[in-house]
């Protein structure tokens, strides 16, 4: 393969992320267990998140606001100031979680560094993703960090234009078929999927991908053998 730019998704591709959100949601459900079942509450949070995406985008701050809106709904606007404070604390705790790299990430970056332009292409809060990149200590491997407000074909096209890269020269690696793989395949790049053990509901798709530029791996270290 003679691709020039290798782009990595960050959350659940370079470092652990989704389990922290799962834990936060459990804390939220526990706060309101007298009002509704966990399943109902999780459904309501997701609805609020998806409805708010065009306004808030992705990330922890958007998630916190969606939790607050969910709490208002659950309590019929009777949540107390103390209740709001507890929800904000759940969000702030998320913003202070340690950054733990996934296995083999650093050795793969070491191997590819210098041979390709390496890029991070992630959604989420700008400040939070920059914090995580700093704390991960792997920022030095990357030529460019792109925090996208979404991962549509248009978002990726803008990124490619900034990088002066043709889509066919891009390989994108990530844990989300919906956000990291499908748009890239549609643009003409190569999409490599490396599943993480848990996936946010919003990122799930209910069909199989069959495409000549689609590569399914089980561990990031397999990237070395195919590039
Ligand atoms: Mg991800």
């Amino acid at each position: 393969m003679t691709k020039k730019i290798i782009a990595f998704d960050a959350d659940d591709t370079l470092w652990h992320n989704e389990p922290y959100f799962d834990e936060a949601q459990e804390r939220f459900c526990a706060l309101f267990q007298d009002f509704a079942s966990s399943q109902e509450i999780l459904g309501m949070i997701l609805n609020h998140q998806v409805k708010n995406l065009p306004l808030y985008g992705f990330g922890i701050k958007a998630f916190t606001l969606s939790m607050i809106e969910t709490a208002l709904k659950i309590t019929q606007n009777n949540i107390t100031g103390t209740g709001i404070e507890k929800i904000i604390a759940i969000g702030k705790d998320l913003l202070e979680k340690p950054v733990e790299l996934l296995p083999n990430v650093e050795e793969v970056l070491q191997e590819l560094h210098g041979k390709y332009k390496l890029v991070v292409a992630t959604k989420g809060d700008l400040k939070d993703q920059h914090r995580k990149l700093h704390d991960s200590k792997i920022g030095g491997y990357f030529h460019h960090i792109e925090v996208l407000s979404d991962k549509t074909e248009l978002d990726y096209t803008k990124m490619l234009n900034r990088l002066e890269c043709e889509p066919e020269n891009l390989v994108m690696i990530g844990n989300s078929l919906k956000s990291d793989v499908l748009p890239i395949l549609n643009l003409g790049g190569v999409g490599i999927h490396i599943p993480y053990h848990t996936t946010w509901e919003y990122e799930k798709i209910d069909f199989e991908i069959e495409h000549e530029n689609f590569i399914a791996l089980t561990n990031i270290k397999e990237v070395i053998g195919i590039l």
Side-chain angles (χ1 to χ4, degrees):
M1 228 184 259
T2 55
K3 303 299 177 188
K4 294 189 182 109
I5 289 187
I6 317 290
F8 293 84
D9 167 54
D11 293 339
D12 301 321
T13 297
L14 298 177
W15 49 64
H16 296 280
N17 178 65
E18 192 58 25
Y20 293 146
F21 275 88
D22 289 345
E23 182 196 316
Q25 297 200 115
E26 276 173 35
R27 281 175 65 188
F28 182 86
C29 289
L31 287 179
F32 298 98
Q33 59 186 357
D34 295 339
F35 292 85
S37 70
S38 292
Q39 202 183 357
E40 287 168 323
I41 295 172
L42 294 178
M44 289 171 77
I45 299 175
L46 181 65
N47 283 343
H48 278 106
Q49 281 179 294
V50 174
K51 196 177 73 194
N52 286 331
L53 279 177
L55 275 176
Y56 298 161
F58 296 84
I60 293 169
K61 283 179 278 183
F63 172 63
T64 305
L65 286 171
S66 290
M67 282 194 293
I68 291 172
E69 287 183 32
T70 303
L72 286 165
K73 179 111 180 169
I74 291 172
T75 63
Q76 297 178 328
N77 286 358
N78 285 313
I79 185 165
T80 62
T82 307
I84 300 279
E85 202 172 32
K86 285 178 184 170
I87 296 167
I88 290 172
I90 293 174
K92 281 190 176 169
D93 286 351
L94 268 179
L95 288 165
E96 290 178 339
K97 288 289 181 192
V99 180
E100 200 188 327
L101 288 182
L102 268 74
N104 307 311
V105 162
E106 184 139 26
E107 62 182 86
V108 167
L109 295 175
Q110 257 165 15
E111 177 70 27
L112 299 179
H113 182 62
K115 296 178 184 151
Y116 304 91
K117 271 186 186 172
L118 304 183
V119 168
V120 175
T122 177
K123 292 185 290 199
D125 292 319
L126 183 67
K127 181 147 178 62
D128 183 42
Q129 293 297 25
H130 283 174
R131 167 191 76 92
K132 287 193 275 189
L133 205 70
H134 173 268
D135 291 355
S136 71
K137 300 187 171 61
I138 56 172
Y141 292 110
F142 296 102
H143 166 82
H144 179 80
I145 311 297
E146 185 94 10
V147 181
L148 302 122
S149 54
D150 201 349
K151 282 182 168 176
T152 64
E153 287 172 43
L154 180 61
D155 294 298
Y156 280 117
T157 300
K158 288 178 187 168
M159 179 185 89
L160 286 164
N161 288 341
R162 273 191 285 278
L163 292 166
E164 297 181 343
C165 174
E166 296 298 323
E168 52 270 28
N169 288 325
L170 175 74
V171 177
M172 174 76 193
I173 301 169
N175 71 298
S176 168
L177 290 167
K178 183 179 182 175
S179 296
D180 303 323
V181 172
L182 279 174
I184 300 300
L185 296 177
N186 289 339
L187 289 172
V190 171
I192 298 181
H193 182 233
I194 303 170
Y196 188 71
H197 65 80
T198 174
T199 305
W200 181 27
E201 280 301 318
Y202 176 78
E203 297 288 349
K204 290 180 181 171
I205 58 168
D206 57 1
F207 56 90
E208 298 276 319
I209 296 179
E210 283 184 35
H211 193 289
E212 58 177 356
N213 285 345
F214 173 54
I215 300 171
L217 302 179
T218 55
N219 189 293
I220 199 164
K221 70 181 176 211
E222 297 164 60
V223 167
I224 302 290
I226 57 165
L227 288 176

